[in-house]
Amino acid sequence: MKNILKTIALGQMLSLCICGTAITSQYLAERYKVNTPMLQSFINYCLLFLIYTVMLAFQSGSDNLLYILKKKWWKYILLGLADVEANYLIVRAYQYTTLTSVQLLDCFGIPVLMALSWFILYARYRVIHFIAVAVCLLGVGTMVGADILAGREDNSGSDVLIGDILVLLGASLYAVSNVCEEYIVKKLSRQEFLGMVGLFGTIISGIQLLIVEYKDIAGIHWDWKIALLFVAFALCMFCLYSFMPLVIKVTSATSVNLGILTADLYSLFFGLFLFGYKFSGLYILSFTVIMVGFILYCSTPTRNAEPAESSMPSVTSIGIDNLGLKLEENLQEAHSAVL
């Protein structure tokens, strides 16, 4: 029971971080007409770079930045690309489709995440886990219904099909990023994940920033309030990225994604006071249903069906050349024993 309460508390801490990013973004968009999601992400990646990538530069051995880049640079480029584009596609989708579509289709990432965890992380689920996910998605449906009844669904979208496709792509890329994150933080280290995402996220988002948002940035009329909102967004996002690996390490990427489904509800609750949203009792019901599903999921641990390591050296762990050398050494030892 203690572990479940700890997991719930950690999950809701992440939800509050996401809530902070949503509120600051909405303030920038509604009060100051600033729509620069890539710039906001770029600042976060720069913070990750300055903290965690620099930390890797001072590590020794296999944890050193240059060693990691030499061995796995292309893998982390793909991971950085998935992470940057997942953030960008979801935000961009709001320009084309409706709030309801984004909230519902964003949940597509959870079954994708479970499927990837099954094949890549060898996670094995029980019936209760599928029931728990269904309960959480029911809670999301209740939240969307509350939005419609409260009149928040006032944007019909300029091109719903394009927007829906962007949400599905973004949710899928989030799932890819989360599975990679779980693998890295459990098999390697949290610093390596954050350092590499910070490095390549900064490069990729910086290039994309110059391509798609330079006009929007040039049009910003800077003052201390706008600067403060950018700082608040960056700190919330930095905390989210820094703490999420810690939570994933003690739970799983799937349970974390179920826990942060409440982030939209926290944003709604704050929106009652900040943006004049209408209250609906369905919001409370939605929060309760999601938390029940989350507790159900956490109540039973998943099994791990990862195959036992054989006595033969792994090709992926020591490389083709080293494998050949190892086999040659074994043959020489066997020959000597026979003599």
Side-chain angles (χ1 to χ4, degrees):
M1 187 63 185
K2 183 179 179 181
N3 289 334
I4 293 177
L5 293 175
K6 180 180 178 181
T7 302
I8 293 172
L10 292 172
Q12 298 319 293
M13 179 184 68
L14 297 179
S15 283
L16 288 172
C17 290
I18 296 173
C19 172
T21 64
I23 290 173
T24 51
S25 293
Q26 190 165 353
Y27 249 108
L28 285 169
E30 291 190 2
R31 301 291 173 88
Y32 302 102
K33 308 303 178 186
V34 175
N35 290 287
T36 54
M38 190 53 65
L39 174 60
Q40 292 164 238
S41 294
F42 175 73
I43 297 172
N44 169 57
Y45 290 122
C46 286
L47 289 176
L48 294 175
F49 173 83
L50 292 173
I51 302 297
Y52 297 105
T53 309
V54 171
M55 285 174 59
L56 289 178
F58 290 97
Q59 298 291 329
S60 59
S62 61
D63 294 327
N64 181 260
L65 175 63
L66 295 178
Y67 181 89
I68 296 170
L69 288 174
K70 183 179 178 181
K71 295 291 184 180
K72 296 172 279 191
W73 62 272
W74 64 272
K75 296 178 181 178
Y76 283 115
I77 287 179
L78 294 177
L79 174 59
L81 186 64
D83 196 76
V84 170
E85 298 309 321
N87 286 317
Y88 180 73
L89 290 174
I90 295 293
V91 174
R92 183 61 66 187
Y94 281 101
Q95 296 183 6
Y96 297 99
T97 189
T98 62
L99 175 66
T100 299
S101 293
V102 173
Q103 288 176 326
L104 286 176
L105 295 178
D106 193 31
C107 296
F108 176 72
I110 293 176
V112 173
L113 180 57
M114 294 179 73
L116 291 173
S117 297
W118 180 286
F119 291 108
I120 297 175
L121 303 177
Y122 301 101
R124 294 297 179 262
Y125 304 101
R126 304 176 192 275
V127 174
I128 192 172
H129 294 125
F130 294 105
I131 295 174
V133 170
V135 171
C136 287
L137 296 182
L138 178 63
V140 174
T142 307
M143 176 180 63
V144 171
D147 284 343
I148 295 173
L149 292 175
R152 290 191 67 221
E153 192 50 66
D154 56 358
N155 175 24
S156 59
S158 59
D159 197 322
V160 174
L161 180 60
I162 292 177
D164 290 350
I165 292 173
L166 291 178
V167 177
L168 293 175
L169 287 174
S172 299
L173 288 176
Y174 266 131
V176 171
S177 177
N178 286 162
V179 167
C180 293
E181 181 175 0
E182 181 173 352
Y183 179 87
I184 294 168
V185 300
K186 289 185 176 180
K187 301 284 187 180
L188 301 171
S189 73
R190 167 177 170 267
Q191 286 77 15
E192 179 170 332
F193 170 78
L194 293 173
M196 291 296 99
V197 168
L199 173 61
F200 290 110
T202 300
I203 295 171
I204 295 168
S205 63
I207 294 172
Q208 192 164 335
L209 174 69
L210 295 175
I211 296 173
V212 301
E213 282 187 2
Y214 69 96
K215 290 183 179 179
D216 295 321
I217 296 172
I220 298 175
H221 301 290
W222 291 95
D223 62 23
W224 68 271
K225 293 180 181 178
I226 293 178
L228 185 62
L229 287 170
F230 269 96
V231 170
F233 176 93
L235 289 177
C236 288
M237 188 66 88
F238 178 77
C239 290
L240 174 66
Y241 270 73
S242 297
F243 291 134
M244 185 174 280
L246 296 174
V247 184
I248 286 179
K249 190 167 185 177
V250 298
T251 56
S252 70
T254 303
S255 64
V256 167
N257 275 266
L258 291 175
I260 62 178
L261 288 176
T262 56
D264 284 337
L265 287 163
Y266 288 130
S267 299
L268 292 169
F269 294 146
F270 281 105
L272 295 172
F273 304 99
L274 299 175
F275 304 110
Y277 291 161
K278 294 180 181 178
F279 178 77
S280 171
L282 287 177
Y283 290 140
I284 302 296
L285 177 62
S286 172
F287 182 84
T288 304
V289 171
I290 291 174
M291 290 306 299
V292 168
F294 182 46
I295 293 171
L296 270 178
Y297 188 94
C298 296
S299 65
T300 305
T302 58
R303 294 185 300 109
N304 189 286
E306 187 169 358
E309 295 183 4
S310 63
S311 59
M312 182 67 72
S314 169
V315 175
T316 56
S317 61
I318 64 174
I320 298 293
D321 295 334
N322 289 342
L323 178 58
L325 291 173
K326 189 70 177 177
L327 291 173
E328 185 177 349
E329 290 173 3
N330 291 342
L331 288 173
Q332 288 176 353
E333 291 174 1
H335 182 66
S336 300
V338 170
L339 291 176

